mmCIF file of all heavy atoms in Angstrom:
data_model
loop_
_atom_site.group_PDB
_atom_site.id
_atom_site.type_symbol
_atom_site.label_atom_id
_atom_site.label_comp_id
_atom_site.label_asym_id
_atom_site.label_seq_id
_atom_site.Cartn_x
_atom_site.Cartn_y
_atom_site.Cartn_z
ATOM 1 N N ASP A 1 -73.783 39.421 135.997
ATOM 2 C CA ASP A 1 -72.949 39.674 134.821
ATOM 3 C C ASP A 1 -73.803 39.693 133.560
ATOM 4 O O ASP A 1 -73.652 40.557 132.691
ATOM 5 C CB ASP A 1 -71.876 38.579 134.740
ATOM 6 C CG ASP A 1 -70.889 38.850 133.626
ATOM 7 O OD1 ASP A 1 -70.409 39.998 133.549
ATOM 8 O OD2 ASP A 1 -70.610 37.929 132.836
ATOM 9 N N TYR A 2 -74.745 38.722 133.507
ATOM 10 C CA TYR A 2 -75.652 38.650 132.363
ATOM 11 C C TYR A 2 -76.536 39.910 132.296
ATOM 12 O O TYR A 2 -76.730 40.497 131.238
ATOM 13 C CB TYR A 2 -76.523 37.405 132.483
ATOM 14 C CG TYR A 2 -77.601 37.313 131.426
ATOM 15 C CD1 TYR A 2 -77.281 36.973 130.115
ATOM 16 C CD2 TYR A 2 -78.938 37.579 131.751
ATOM 17 C CE1 TYR A 2 -78.269 36.906 129.142
ATOM 18 C CE2 TYR A 2 -79.922 37.514 130.787
ATOM 19 C CZ TYR A 2 -79.590 37.179 129.481
ATOM 20 O OH TYR A 2 -80.567 37.123 128.524
ATOM 21 N N ALA A 3 -77.050 40.335 133.478
ATOM 22 C CA ALA A 3 -77.910 41.531 133.535
ATOM 23 C C ALA A 3 -77.136 42.767 133.108
ATOM 24 O O ALA A 3 -77.659 43.639 132.404
ATOM 25 C CB ALA A 3 -78.461 41.711 134.948
ATOM 26 N N SER A 4 -75.868 42.830 133.536
ATOM 27 C CA SER A 4 -75.021 43.970 133.171
ATOM 28 C C SER A 4 -74.794 44.013 131.666
ATOM 29 O O SER A 4 -74.879 45.070 131.034
ATOM 30 C CB SER A 4 -73.689 43.863 133.918
ATOM 31 O OG SER A 4 -72.845 44.900 133.557
ATOM 32 N N ARG A 5 -74.496 42.803 131.091
ATOM 33 C CA ARG A 5 -74.277 42.741 129.644
ATOM 34 C C ARG A 5 -75.553 43.085 128.887
ATOM 35 O O ARG A 5 -75.524 43.780 127.864
ATOM 36 C CB ARG A 5 -73.774 41.351 129.238
ATOM 37 C CG ARG A 5 -72.348 41.054 129.682
ATOM 38 C CD ARG A 5 -71.722 39.937 128.854
ATOM 39 N NE ARG A 5 -72.516 38.724 128.861
ATOM 40 C CZ ARG A 5 -72.390 37.747 129.760
ATOM 41 N NH1 ARG A 5 -71.501 37.864 130.735
ATOM 42 N NH2 ARG A 5 -73.145 36.674 129.682
ATOM 43 N N LEU A 6 -76.685 42.598 129.419
ATOM 44 C CA LEU A 6 -77.979 42.877 128.782
ATOM 45 C C LEU A 6 -78.296 44.371 128.833
ATOM 46 O O LEU A 6 -78.774 44.964 127.858
ATOM 47 C CB LEU A 6 -79.079 42.082 129.495
ATOM 48 C CG LEU A 6 -80.484 42.159 128.887
ATOM 49 C CD1 LEU A 6 -80.489 41.584 127.482
ATOM 50 C CD2 LEU A 6 -81.500 41.431 129.772
ATOM 51 N N ARG A 7 -78.022 44.987 130.021
ATOM 52 C CA ARG A 7 -78.253 46.429 130.164
ATOM 53 C C ARG A 7 -77.393 47.225 129.182
ATOM 54 O O ARG A 7 -77.864 48.161 128.542
ATOM 55 C CB ARG A 7 -77.951 46.833 131.607
ATOM 56 C CG ARG A 7 -78.383 48.250 131.957
ATOM 57 C CD ARG A 7 -78.467 48.478 133.461
ATOM 58 N NE ARG A 7 -77.265 48.038 134.151
ATOM 59 C CZ ARG A 7 -77.238 47.000 134.999
ATOM 60 N NH1 ARG A 7 -78.342 46.295 135.237
ATOM 61 N NH2 ARG A 7 -76.111 46.653 135.606
ATOM 62 N N LYS A 8 -76.105 46.819 129.094
ATOM 63 C CA LYS A 8 -75.189 47.505 128.182
ATOM 64 C C LYS A 8 -75.652 47.347 126.733
ATOM 65 O O LYS A 8 -75.630 48.293 125.945
ATOM 66 C CB LYS A 8 -73.786 46.936 128.350
ATOM 67 C CG LYS A 8 -72.730 47.716 127.594
ATOM 68 C CD LYS A 8 -71.345 47.165 127.870
ATOM 69 C CE LYS A 8 -70.303 47.959 127.078
ATOM 70 N NZ LYS A 8 -68.953 47.405 127.250
ATOM 71 N N PHE A 9 -76.114 46.110 126.412
ATOM 72 C CA PHE A 9 -76.607 45.849 125.060
ATOM 73 C C PHE A 9 -77.816 46.732 124.739
ATOM 74 O O PHE A 9 -77.920 47.317 123.667
ATOM 75 C CB PHE A 9 -76.984 44.368 124.936
ATOM 76 C CG PHE A 9 -77.707 44.033 123.660
ATOM 77 C CD1 PHE A 9 -77.020 43.963 122.458
ATOM 78 C CD2 PHE A 9 -79.090 43.802 123.672
ATOM 79 C CE1 PHE A 9 -77.701 43.666 121.278
ATOM 80 C CE2 PHE A 9 -79.765 43.505 122.498
ATOM 81 C CZ PHE A 9 -79.072 43.434 121.294
ATOM 82 N N ASN A 10 -78.740 46.834 125.728
ATOM 83 C CA ASN A 10 -79.943 47.660 125.529
ATOM 84 C C ASN A 10 -79.585 49.136 125.367
ATOM 85 O O ASN A 10 -80.179 49.846 124.551
ATOM 86 C CB ASN A 10 -80.907 47.475 126.697
ATOM 87 C CG ASN A 10 -81.649 46.149 126.630
ATOM 88 O OD1 ASN A 10 -81.823 45.596 125.544
ATOM 89 N ND2 ASN A 10 -82.066 45.624 127.773
ATOM 90 N N GLU A 11 -78.612 49.599 126.183
ATOM 91 C CA GLU A 11 -78.174 50.994 126.079
ATOM 92 C C GLU A 11 -77.573 51.264 124.704
ATOM 93 O O GLU A 11 -77.850 52.285 124.078
ATOM 94 C CB GLU A 11 -77.146 51.310 127.172
ATOM 95 C CG GLU A 11 -77.759 51.460 128.569
ATOM 96 C CD GLU A 11 -76.710 51.550 129.659
ATOM 97 O OE1 GLU A 11 -75.497 51.474 129.332
ATOM 98 O OE2 GLU A 11 -77.091 51.684 130.848
ATOM 99 N N GLU A 12 -76.732 50.319 124.252
ATOM 100 C CA GLU A 12 -76.123 50.472 122.922
ATOM 101 C C GLU A 12 -77.178 50.434 121.828
ATOM 102 O O GLU A 12 -77.092 51.170 120.842
ATOM 103 C CB GLU A 12 -75.089 49.366 122.692
ATOM 104 C CG GLU A 12 -73.816 49.533 123.520
ATOM 105 C CD GLU A 12 -72.888 48.345 123.415
ATOM 106 O OE1 GLU A 12 -73.286 47.326 122.791
ATOM 107 O OE2 GLU A 12 -71.756 48.437 123.951
ATOM 108 N N ARG A 13 -78.186 49.583 122.039
ATOM 109 C CA ARG A 13 -79.262 49.494 121.054
ATOM 110 C C ARG A 13 -80.055 50.806 121.000
ATOM 111 O O ARG A 13 -80.417 51.275 119.917
ATOM 112 C CB ARG A 13 -80.192 48.326 121.410
ATOM 113 C CG ARG A 13 -81.187 47.993 120.305
ATOM 114 C CD ARG A 13 -81.957 46.739 120.613
ATOM 115 N NE ARG A 13 -82.744 46.887 121.844
ATOM 116 C CZ ARG A 13 -83.581 45.958 122.285
ATOM 117 N NH1 ARG A 13 -83.703 44.818 121.639
ATOM 118 N NH2 ARG A 13 -84.265 46.159 123.384
ATOM 119 N N VAL A 14 -80.320 51.396 122.180
ATOM 120 C CA VAL A 14 -81.048 52.677 122.235
ATOM 121 C C VAL A 14 -80.223 53.778 121.564
ATOM 122 O O VAL A 14 -80.742 54.572 120.773
ATOM 123 C CB VAL A 14 -81.371 53.061 123.701
ATOM 124 C CG1 VAL A 14 -81.848 54.504 123.792
ATOM 125 C CG2 VAL A 14 -82.414 52.119 124.276
ATOM 126 N N VAL A 15 -78.904 53.801 121.875
ATOM 127 C CA VAL A 15 -78.021 54.802 121.262
ATOM 128 C C VAL A 15 -78.000 54.630 119.742
ATOM 129 O O VAL A 15 -78.106 55.599 118.987
ATOM 130 C CB VAL A 15 -76.580 54.694 121.839
ATOM 131 C CG1 VAL A 15 -75.604 55.520 121.009
ATOM 132 C CG2 VAL A 15 -76.565 55.139 123.292
ATOM 133 N N ALA A 16 -77.882 53.369 119.307
ATOM 134 C CA ALA A 16 -77.858 53.088 117.863
ATOM 135 C C ALA A 16 -79.180 53.489 117.213
ATOM 136 O O ALA A 16 -79.199 54.062 116.119
ATOM 137 C CB ALA A 16 -77.579 51.604 117.628
ATOM 138 N N ALA A 17 -80.294 53.203 117.914
ATOM 139 C CA ALA A 17 -81.618 53.557 117.376
ATOM 140 C C ALA A 17 -81.774 55.070 117.277
ATOM 141 O O ALA A 17 -82.273 55.591 116.279
ATOM 142 C CB ALA A 17 -82.715 52.975 118.266
ATOM 143 N N ASN A 18 -81.319 55.779 118.332
ATOM 144 C CA ASN A 18 -81.392 57.242 118.305
ATOM 145 C C ASN A 18 -80.503 57.823 117.217
ATOM 146 O O ASN A 18 -80.860 58.793 116.551
ATOM 147 C CB ASN A 18 -80.995 57.822 119.662
ATOM 148 C CG ASN A 18 -82.110 57.693 120.694
ATOM 149 O OD1 ASN A 18 -83.276 57.563 120.331
ATOM 150 N ND2 ASN A 18 -81.763 57.714 121.968
ATOM 151 N N ARG A 19 -79.303 57.194 117.057
ATOM 152 C CA ARG A 19 -78.397 57.665 116.017
ATOM 153 C C ARG A 19 -79.016 57.443 114.640
ATOM 154 O O ARG A 19 -78.973 58.313 113.768
ATOM 155 C CB ARG A 19 -77.048 56.948 116.111
ATOM 156 C CG ARG A 19 -75.977 57.550 115.201
ATOM 157 C CD ARG A 19 -74.665 56.778 115.256
ATOM 158 N NE ARG A 19 -74.110 56.752 116.596
ATOM 159 C CZ ARG A 19 -73.926 55.658 117.311
ATOM 160 N NH1 ARG A 19 -74.258 54.471 116.813
ATOM 161 N NH2 ARG A 19 -73.397 55.715 118.514
ATOM 162 N N ALA A 20 -79.613 56.258 114.464
ATOM 163 C CA ALA A 20 -80.267 55.943 113.187
ATOM 164 C C ALA A 20 -81.425 56.900 112.928
ATOM 165 O O ALA A 20 -81.631 57.377 111.812
ATOM 166 C CB ALA A 20 -80.771 54.500 113.196
ATOM 167 N N LYS A 21 -82.173 57.194 114.007
ATOM 168 C CA LYS A 21 -83.306 58.117 113.882
ATOM 169 C C LYS A 21 -82.828 59.523 113.521
ATOM 170 O O LYS A 21 -83.396 60.184 112.655
ATOM 171 C CB LYS A 21 -84.089 58.146 115.200
ATOM 172 C CG LYS A 21 -85.452 58.819 115.104
ATOM 173 C CD LYS A 21 -86.229 58.588 116.388
ATOM 174 C CE LYS A 21 -87.651 59.064 116.248
ATOM 175 N NZ LYS A 21 -88.438 58.781 117.455
ATOM 176 N N SER A 22 -81.732 59.964 114.183
ATOM 177 C CA SER A 22 -81.175 61.289 113.902
ATOM 178 C C SER A 22 -80.680 61.370 112.466
ATOM 179 O O SER A 22 -80.902 62.371 111.772
ATOM 180 C CB SER A 22 -80.024 61.602 114.869
ATOM 181 O OG SER A 22 -80.508 61.713 116.177
ATOM 182 N N ASN A 23 -79.999 60.296 112.012
ATOM 183 C CA ASN A 23 -79.506 60.274 110.626
ATOM 184 C C ASN A 23 -80.669 60.299 109.643
ATOM 185 O O ASN A 23 -80.622 60.998 108.621
ATOM 186 C CB ASN A 23 -78.650 59.033 110.383
ATOM 187 C CG ASN A 23 -77.323 59.104 111.115
ATOM 188 O OD1 ASN A 23 -76.860 60.195 111.463
ATOM 189 N ND2 ASN A 23 -76.704 57.964 111.353
ATOM 190 N N PHE A 24 -81.725 59.532 109.984
ATOM 191 C CA PHE A 24 -82.904 59.514 109.126
ATOM 192 C C PHE A 24 -83.537 60.901 109.049
ATOM 193 O O PHE A 24 -83.899 61.383 107.972
ATOM 194 C CB PHE A 24 -83.922 58.508 109.669
ATOM 195 C CG PHE A 24 -85.246 58.533 108.946
ATOM 196 C CD1 PHE A 24 -85.381 57.962 107.702
ATOM 197 C CD2 PHE A 24 -86.356 59.155 109.520
ATOM 198 C CE1 PHE A 24 -86.606 57.989 107.034
ATOM 199 C CE2 PHE A 24 -87.573 59.192 108.865
ATOM 200 C CZ PHE A 24 -87.698 58.596 107.613
ATOM 201 N N LEU A 25 -83.656 61.556 110.225
ATOM 202 C CA LEU A 25 -84.231 62.903 110.262
ATOM 203 C C LEU A 25 -83.402 63.884 109.445
ATOM 204 O O LEU A 25 -83.940 64.707 108.709
ATOM 205 C CB LEU A 25 -84.330 63.396 111.711
ATOM 206 C CG LEU A 25 -85.485 62.851 112.550
ATOM 207 C CD1 LEU A 25 -85.332 63.310 113.981
ATOM 208 C CD2 LEU A 25 -86.816 63.315 111.980
ATOM 209 N N ALA A 26 -82.071 63.807 109.609
ATOM 210 C CA ALA A 26 -81.194 64.709 108.866
ATOM 211 C C ALA A 26 -81.366 64.501 107.364
ATOM 212 O O ALA A 26 -81.463 65.457 106.592
ATOM 213 C CB ALA A 26 -79.739 64.484 109.272
ATOM 214 N N ASN A 27 -81.419 63.221 106.947
ATOM 215 C CA ASN A 27 -81.582 62.926 105.522
ATOM 216 C C ASN A 27 -82.940 63.361 105.011
ATOM 217 O O ASN A 27 -83.061 63.939 103.925
ATOM 218 C CB ASN A 27 -81.384 61.426 105.264
ATOM 219 C CG ASN A 27 -79.938 61.009 105.427
ATOM 220 O OD1 ASN A 27 -79.023 61.801 105.196
ATOM 221 N ND2 ASN A 27 -79.710 59.769 105.842
ATOM 222 N N MET A 28 -83.996 63.090 105.805
ATOM 223 C CA MET A 28 -85.342 63.490 105.398
ATOM 224 C C MET A 28 -85.452 65.006 105.317
ATOM 225 O O MET A 28 -86.064 65.550 104.399
ATOM 226 C CB MET A 28 -86.378 62.945 106.386
ATOM 227 C CG MET A 28 -86.681 61.464 106.218
ATOM 228 S SD MET A 28 -87.255 61.069 104.554
ATOM 229 C CE MET A 28 -88.783 61.985 104.497
ATOM 230 N N SER A 29 -84.868 65.673 106.307
ATOM 231 C CA SER A 29 -84.871 67.136 106.312
ATOM 232 C C SER A 29 -84.223 67.652 105.035
ATOM 233 O O SER A 29 -84.727 68.563 104.374
ATOM 234 C CB SER A 29 -84.123 67.650 107.548
ATOM 235 O OG SER A 29 -84.054 69.049 107.534
ATOM 236 N N HIS A 30 -83.085 67.052 104.680
ATOM 237 C CA HIS A 30 -82.350 67.480 103.480
ATOM 238 C C HIS A 30 -83.178 67.212 102.222
ATOM 239 O O HIS A 30 -83.322 68.079 101.355
ATOM 240 C CB HIS A 30 -81.018 66.731 103.408
ATOM 241 C CG HIS A 30 -80.149 67.171 102.273
ATOM 242 N ND1 HIS A 30 -80.216 66.593 101.028
ATOM 243 C CD2 HIS A 30 -79.211 68.147 102.192
ATOM 244 C CE1 HIS A 30 -79.358 67.191 100.224
ATOM 245 N NE2 HIS A 30 -78.737 68.121 100.907
ATOM 246 N N GLU A 31 -83.751 66.000 102.132
ATOM 247 C CA GLU A 31 -84.486 65.620 100.927
ATOM 248 C C GLU A 31 -85.746 66.462 100.736
ATOM 249 O O GLU A 31 -86.125 66.776 99.608
ATOM 250 C CB GLU A 31 -84.868 64.127 100.993
ATOM 251 C CG GLU A 31 -83.686 63.183 100.930
ATOM 252 C CD GLU A 31 -82.848 63.356 99.673
ATOM 253 O OE1 GLU A 31 -83.428 63.592 98.597
ATOM 254 O OE2 GLU A 31 -81.610 63.289 99.765
ATOM 255 N N ILE A 32 -86.413 66.814 101.835
ATOM 256 C CA ILE A 32 -87.650 67.604 101.727
ATOM 257 C C ILE A 32 -87.347 69.076 101.506
ATOM 258 O O ILE A 32 -87.969 69.743 100.675
ATOM 259 C CB ILE A 32 -88.523 67.434 102.999
ATOM 260 C CG1 ILE A 32 -89.013 65.984 103.100
ATOM 261 C CG2 ILE A 32 -89.715 68.384 102.983
ATOM 262 C CD1 ILE A 32 -89.657 65.645 104.433
ATOM 263 N N ARG A 33 -86.378 69.601 102.244
ATOM 264 C CA ARG A 33 -86.115 71.034 102.198
ATOM 265 C C ARG A 33 -85.417 71.486 100.918
ATOM 266 O O ARG A 33 -85.532 72.640 100.524
ATOM 267 C CB ARG A 33 -85.285 71.458 103.413
ATOM 268 C CG ARG A 33 -86.089 71.492 104.692
ATOM 269 C CD ARG A 33 -85.217 71.682 105.908
ATOM 270 N NE ARG A 33 -86.035 71.771 107.097
ATOM 271 C CZ ARG A 33 -86.565 72.901 107.560
ATOM 272 N NH1 ARG A 33 -86.354 74.027 106.934
ATOM 273 N NH2 ARG A 33 -87.298 72.898 108.648
ATOM 274 N N THR A 34 -84.690 70.585 100.261
ATOM 275 C CA THR A 34 -83.995 70.984 99.033
ATOM 276 C C THR A 34 -84.985 71.408 97.939
ATOM 277 O O THR A 34 -84.858 72.500 97.382
ATOM 278 C CB THR A 34 -83.067 69.848 98.552
ATOM 279 O OG1 THR A 34 -82.054 69.649 99.551
ATOM 280 C CG2 THR A 34 -82.399 70.213 97.242
ATOM 281 N N PRO A 35 -86.022 70.594 97.629
ATOM 282 C CA PRO A 35 -86.999 71.091 96.641
ATOM 283 C C PRO A 35 -87.806 72.279 97.151
ATOM 284 O O PRO A 35 -88.193 73.154 96.372
ATOM 285 C CB PRO A 35 -87.902 69.875 96.383
ATOM 286 C CG PRO A 35 -87.675 68.945 97.515
ATOM 287 C CD PRO A 35 -86.281 69.183 97.983
ATOM 288 N N MET A 36 -88.068 72.335 98.468
ATOM 289 C CA MET A 36 -88.779 73.489 99.019
ATOM 290 C C MET A 36 -87.969 74.766 98.811
ATOM 291 O O MET A 36 -88.531 75.842 98.584
ATOM 292 C CB MET A 36 -89.050 73.285 100.511
ATOM 293 C CG MET A 36 -90.150 72.287 100.825
ATOM 294 S SD MET A 36 -91.751 72.744 100.123
ATOM 295 C CE MET A 36 -92.071 74.279 100.978
ATOM 296 N N ASN A 37 -86.647 74.655 98.886
ATOM 297 C CA ASN A 37 -85.772 75.802 98.655
ATOM 298 C C ASN A 37 -85.973 76.331 97.238
ATOM 299 O O ASN A 37 -86.074 77.539 97.016
ATOM 300 C CB ASN A 37 -84.303 75.381 98.861
ATOM 301 C CG ASN A 37 -83.358 76.545 98.754
ATOM 302 O OD1 ASN A 37 -83.476 77.524 99.469
ATOM 303 N ND2 ASN A 37 -82.409 76.453 97.845
ATOM 304 N N ALA A 38 -86.050 75.412 96.269
ATOM 305 C CA ALA A 38 -86.249 75.819 94.876
ATOM 306 C C ALA A 38 -87.625 76.465 94.681
ATOM 307 O O ALA A 38 -87.748 77.502 94.032
ATOM 308 C CB ALA A 38 -86.099 74.600 93.965
ATOM 309 N N ILE A 39 -88.654 75.849 95.279
ATOM 310 C CA ILE A 39 -90.019 76.378 95.111
ATOM 311 C C ILE A 39 -90.134 77.797 95.678
ATOM 312 O O ILE A 39 -90.590 78.720 94.998
ATOM 313 C CB ILE A 39 -91.046 75.444 95.800
ATOM 314 C CG1 ILE A 39 -91.111 74.101 95.074
ATOM 315 C CG2 ILE A 39 -92.431 76.086 95.837
ATOM 316 C CD1 ILE A 39 -91.839 73.013 95.847
ATOM 317 N N LEU A 40 -89.709 77.977 96.933
ATOM 318 C CA LEU A 40 -89.833 79.292 97.572
ATOM 319 C C LEU A 40 -88.903 80.320 96.933
ATOM 320 O O LEU A 40 -89.266 81.488 96.778
ATOM 321 C CB LEU A 40 -89.538 79.171 99.072
ATOM 322 C CG LEU A 40 -90.692 78.618 99.921
ATOM 323 C CD1 LEU A 40 -90.189 78.168 101.277
ATOM 324 C CD2 LEU A 40 -91.792 79.652 100.086
ATOM 325 N N GLY A 41 -87.689 79.893 96.558
ATOM 326 C CA GLY A 41 -86.731 80.827 95.950
ATOM 327 C C GLY A 41 -87.182 81.312 94.591
ATOM 328 O O GLY A 41 -87.159 82.513 94.301
#
């Protein structure tokens, strides 16, 4: 039961980490590309 809970916790942690990473990437992409849009345009 403990191993199952630990596995579930780790899976949730990985999902949360990936979600956080995806959100970070989306935000970084937005923050970097917005001024690049002005420069190239």
